[in-house]
Amino acid sequence: MLSDSHAHLTLEHFDPDRDEVIARARAAGIARLVTVSSFIGDAAACAELAAQHEFLYFTAGVHPHEAKNWTPEVAQSIRQAAALPKAVAIGEIGLDYHYDFSPRGDQRRVFREQIALARDLRLPIVIHTREAWDDTLLILHEERAAEIGGVFHCFSGGREEAARCLDLGFHLSFAGPLTFKNAGNLAEAAAFAPIDRLLCETDAPYLSPHPHRGKRNEPARVVHVVEKLAALKGLPPAQVGEATTRNLDKVFRIA
């Protein structure tokens, strides 16, 4: 049993062969697959795709890159999408100080507003943070985000950041970079975190794991992340696959 807690299946990268990609995920043993809203207006497409496949679920949210485009109308569209069947979280939301595609003040404001929305809807959150650890963790604390919980998607920190996230009550999701030769601190964080707080993902079509690095990623390749995590934990891959799938069900409250 495997799961991919974070993929972007509605992106144009998958237009030529989306059905085949989903079929390969199923054939690889993936029992849970969460397709994440990638841009403003994408949540409806995510909901439609999830409705077509029993093992698919989706999230609704505005990425920090698009925070500058947040409006009350966008907020209402997220609220409406989150009420649809198979919506499991608000995300991905957070802060990205690497690219700064939106002003940092806008990013922080929209992050807070979406946490408040998630708390109102009693949904967990999917967090994106890049080069913004202190502000991300401060906002999560001040907005009482631990009350709803959630996951740090494509966790990119080391042991110190992992401990801070875990202390706040959040789960960590590891992706393809865990398999890279230069994983270093990331591998240390994965080895440190308890197995009952971990998820696995692809972030497809991005971040393809070794030995597919540089190619378009897809959910079936989550097996490589599971195998690397298993090696770091000294556990059988099957046990890690089952544990991370149970954790996904717990975080996203999938019965």
Side-chain angles (χ1 to χ4, degrees):
M1 182 184 293
L2 300 172
S3 57
D4 184 351
S5 71
H6 194 112
H8 299 284
L9 294 179
T10 56
L11 287 180
E12 62 183 10
H13 303 66
F14 295 113
D15 286 351
D17 60 346
R18 186 171 289 105
D19 290 343
E20 291 85 350
V21 167
I22 293 172
R24 284 194 291 272
R26 201 63 164 141
I30 292 180
R32 300 283 188 273
L33 176 51
V34 180
T35 188
V36 174
S37 181
S38 302
F39 51 88
I40 291 174
D42 184 41
C46 291
E48 182 179 355
L49 187 63
Q52 297 170 14
H53 302 274
E54 183 181 359
F55 75 119
L56 256 69
Y57 299 83
F58 79 99
T59 74
V62 172
H63 194 286
H65 288 343
E66 289 201 283
K68 62 187 176 185
N69 298 318
W70 179 265
T71 65
E73 291 75 23
V74 169
Q76 182 60 22
S77 71
I78 297 301
R79 179 181 290 273
Q80 291 172 345
L84 295 171
K86 304 184 82 173
V88 294
I90 298 298
E92 64 187 275
I93 64 176
L95 305 175
D96 193 308
Y97 290 176
H98 178 79
Y99 287 108
D100 281 327
F101 286 157
S102 284
R104 294 183 180 183
D106 288 348
Q107 291 188 48
R108 291 189 289 267
R109 174 176 56 83
V110 173
F111 188 24
R112 289 182 186 274
E113 290 195 27
Q114 291 189 92
I115 294 171
L117 175 61
R119 291 181 67 244
D120 186 43
L121 297 174
R122 302 190 65 81
L123 286 173
I125 56 176
V126 176
I127 304 161
H128 171 110
T129 184
R130 189 164 185 185
E131 298 176 18
W133 283 109
D134 287 343
D135 281 358
T136 298
L137 292 165
L138 176 63
I139 289 172
L140 289 170
H141 173 71
E142 290 182 345
E143 297 297 328
R144 309 197 318 273
E147 294 178 8
I148 50 173
V151 57
F152 278 82
H153 124 78
C154 194
F155 182 79
S156 59
R159 178 168 176 161
E160 178 185 349
E161 291 79 14
R164 294 172 71 187
C165 296
L166 293 168
D167 286 347
L168 270 178
F170 287 88
H171 287 63
L172 313 178
S173 183
F174 286 88
L178 186 65
T179 70
F180 299 168
K181 291 181 179 179
N182 62 347
N185 292 338
L186 187 62
E188 183 180 353
F192 161 75
I195 190 66
D196 64 352
R197 302 287 293 280
L198 300 179
L199 283 72
C200 291
E201 66 171 90
T202 58
D203 199 21
Y206 311 114
L207 298 175
S208 210
H210 178 80
H212 304 285
R213 189 173 184 180
K215 301 176 182 177
R216 185 194 71 172
N217 202 4
E218 63 177 78
R221 292 180 181 163
V222 77
V223 64
H224 299 292
V225 181
V226 171
E227 289 172 348
K228 179 62 176 183
L229 186 57
L232 291 167
K233 292 292 188 185
L235 297 170
Q239 183 177 340
V240 171
E242 291 173 3
T244 52
T245 300
R246 286 196 305 270
N247 297 341
L248 185 154
D249 286 350
K250 179 181 177 182
V251 172
F252 295 134
R253 300 159 199 166
I254 298 172

